[in-house]
Amino acid sequence: MSEKDISKNYNDESKVDVRNSTFKSCKDVDVRNSTFRSCKDVTFVLPAQLSSVACEYDQVNLSGDKESLSVLEPATVEGEERGMWTNQAEFFLSCMAYAVGIGNVWRFPYKCFKNGGGVFLIPYLIMLALAALPMFYMELALGQFYQLGPNKVFGKLAPAFRGLGYGMLCVTMWVAIYYNVIIAWAFFYTFASLTSHLDWADCGNWFNTPDCFLPEMAKQCDEDSIWWNNTCTSISLYCKARGVEGAINSTHCLGSTVVTTLHQRVSPAEEYFKRYMLLMDDNTSLDHMGGVNWRLAGCLLLSWVVVMACLIKGVKSAGKVVWFTALFPYLVLVLLLVRGVTLPGALEGIKYFLYPDWHKLLSVHVWTDAATQIFYSLGPAFGGLITLASYNRRDNNCQRDAVLIALANSGTSIFAGFVIFSILGFMAQELNVPVAEVVEGGIGLAFVVYPTAVTKLPVSPVWSFLFFTMLLTLGLDSQFTMVESLITALYDEKPSLRKKQWEIVGGVCLVGFLLGLPMCLQGGFYLFVLLDWYAGSWSLLVLAVTEVVLVGWVYGTERFSRDIYNMGIRTSRYLSCYWVFTWKVSTPLLLSCVLVATLLDYQPAKEGDYMFPDWANGLGWGIAISSLVVVLPLTCKEIWSGVLSGLPLSTMFTPCRLLRDTATNQAIKASTRNLDYVKHEKDNNEADMN
C-alpha cells in the first residue's frame, strides 16, 4: 500500500477529527452513562464494564472523582508520566543489547556447526526475512504507536485478546528467574578469574575425582599404565579399581573387557563447574536437592542488586548503562578473534564452522533449528520489544531500527562463531583430537569447553576474565529488558505506582531473588534445566502465532499500516507489500510449522545421563501451560461483560476508537513537528550557503 493510498483510506475511515479542539477527554464524560454507544460508532462509546474498549479509569470512585487517569487521557502531555528515552541512541542500543544475548555466543555457533556449517545460514537468513524480522518490526511499531506495555496494548486492539500480554509476561517472569542464575554463574567465574592460576586448569584440587582427566598429562604414561587418579596407574590396578580382577595386557582386563570401555573421564573444567561452583555430589538429584550453596546465593543476590541499581529510574538509568553493556562485548569479541586466529589450528576450527554440508538442507530439523534460533535470538513475543518501544517518541523511525538491529544480531552471531571456533580449533590441535570432539553447545560451551580452551592460552586468567565479563554484560542486557517489562506492566496497571519507583523496582527484584534461590541448592542445577526446558518452549510459540494473527487479521494490516504512516514512517510500495505479506501469511505460517515440529519432537527433560522423574516433567508442563492459562480469565471477563451489555460479538474484535484516535492525533502531531524541524534546518542551511 502506497503512502497516497494509506492517506486516502485513513481520511475515508476517520469519522472524528481528533485534532478538533472540542474533542473530549475521558474525564469530560460520565463513564457510568448507560447510553454509551459502540466504539464502532462515530464516538468513543462502550459501557464502562468493557474496560479494554471504553474510556479506561484506574481507581475512579463512584462519584466520578479521578484519583489517577490511565494513559488513555488525551489531555496528557506525551511522555509526561510514562517517561521517555533521553535520546534515540539509547533506545537503539537497548534493543540491540536485548537481541544480542548469550545465545549468540553459546548457541548459534554450535547449531551452525551441527546443521551443515555455512549451509545453515541459508535457512537462517530465510527465516529472518520471512518471520523474525517482520515480527520484530511489528512489535516495535505497536509499542511505539500505542505507548503501552504488553499487558495493556492487545486489549486495545481487540478486547477478546486482552489476556495475551499477560501470557507473554508470564513467560518473561519464568525466564527472568532462571536467566539471572546464569548471570550469577558468570559473576562467579569472573571473580574466579582474578588469580594467577585458574583452578580448572589441572586435576590437583580437592574437588577433583580420580576420573579427572587431562590428555596432555596422559602422554607421560607408558603403554602399561594409564592416567587415573591424577597419576600414571598400572593397567592391572586400574582394572581392579573398576571392579575387574587384573589385566590380560595393556588393552584388556580379565574377562576380555576392553580397558577403554571402563573410562568415565571428566575434564577438570566440568568438575569445577559441577563439583566446585554448584557443589553437586554423585547422589545429587531432584529427589536429593542438598543444602544451600551460599557462595552461589551471594552471586545471585549481587546479580539482582545490579539489575535493581540499573533500573531504579526506569529507562532513564537503564539507557545510560547500556552504552557500556551493549558495546563492551564487541570489544572483547574483537580481542578474542585477534588472539584466536593467531593460534595454531585456528583455521581448521573455522573450516569446521563454515564447511558446507549441502545434504543438511533436506533435513526438517535444520530448518526448525534455524527458525527457533533467530526467533529466540531477536526475542519477539516476550513483551520486551513492545515495552522498550513504548518509551519512544512516536516519530521515531522504528522500521530503520528494526532492520539494522536484526542485521547486527545476525552479524554478531556469525562473528561470534569465528571467535569460538578459532579457539576450539586451537584446543583440538593441542589435544590432538578432531574439532568435532571438543565442540559442545549451550551451558557446556560457555562453562566447560571454553574455560578449558583458555587454560591453553598464555596469560589465561586475563582471557578468562574478558570472556566471562563479556558473558556477564550480554546476560545483563537481556535481563534488564525482561525485568523492565514486568515493572512497566505494574506501572501501566496502576500509574500511581510510578511515584514509588524504589519500592516497586526493589520489590520485583527481591521476589525474583527469592524465587531463584531454589536454584542455588546443590541440586538446583536440575531446576534450572527444567525451567530452561519448558518455560519458553512451545507455549511461547503459541503466544507468538496468536499475536501475529491478531495484528495481521483481526486488527488488520490496513489499520496497522495507517498507524505506521501516521507516525511519519514512509516506505515504498514494494516494501509495504513485503511487510503486509509477512504479517498476514509467511510469519504465522512458518511459526505454526515450527510449533507443530516442536511438539512432535518433544522429549522429556534430561541432563546428560540423568533422566528427570515423571513428577518433574509434570511440573515442567505446568510451567509451560501457566503462560496460556493466565490468558483465559481476562479474555473471558471481556466476553462476559460484552454479553451482559448486550453488545454484538463483533465488538470483542474491534479496536478502541478513542485510544486509536488519541494515539493518531499525537503521532501526527509528533511527525509534523519533526518535518517542520527538518524543513527549518534545511532552510537555514540553504540560507547559510547563500
Side-chain angles (χ1 to χ4, degrees), residues 11 57 293 599 627 666:
N11 292 330
Y57 276 73
N293 183 343
L599 292 173
S627 57
Q666 294 178 347

Side-chain angles (χ1 to χ4, degrees), residues 203-225:
C203 295
N205 304 287
W206 65 265
F207 54 83
N208 292 124
T209 66
D211 292 318
C212 182
F213 180 75
L214 283 171
E216 56 268 33
M217 300 302 295
K219 296 177 182 178
Q220 302 175 6
C221 303
D222 57 36
E223 61 179 12
D224 293 325
S225 62

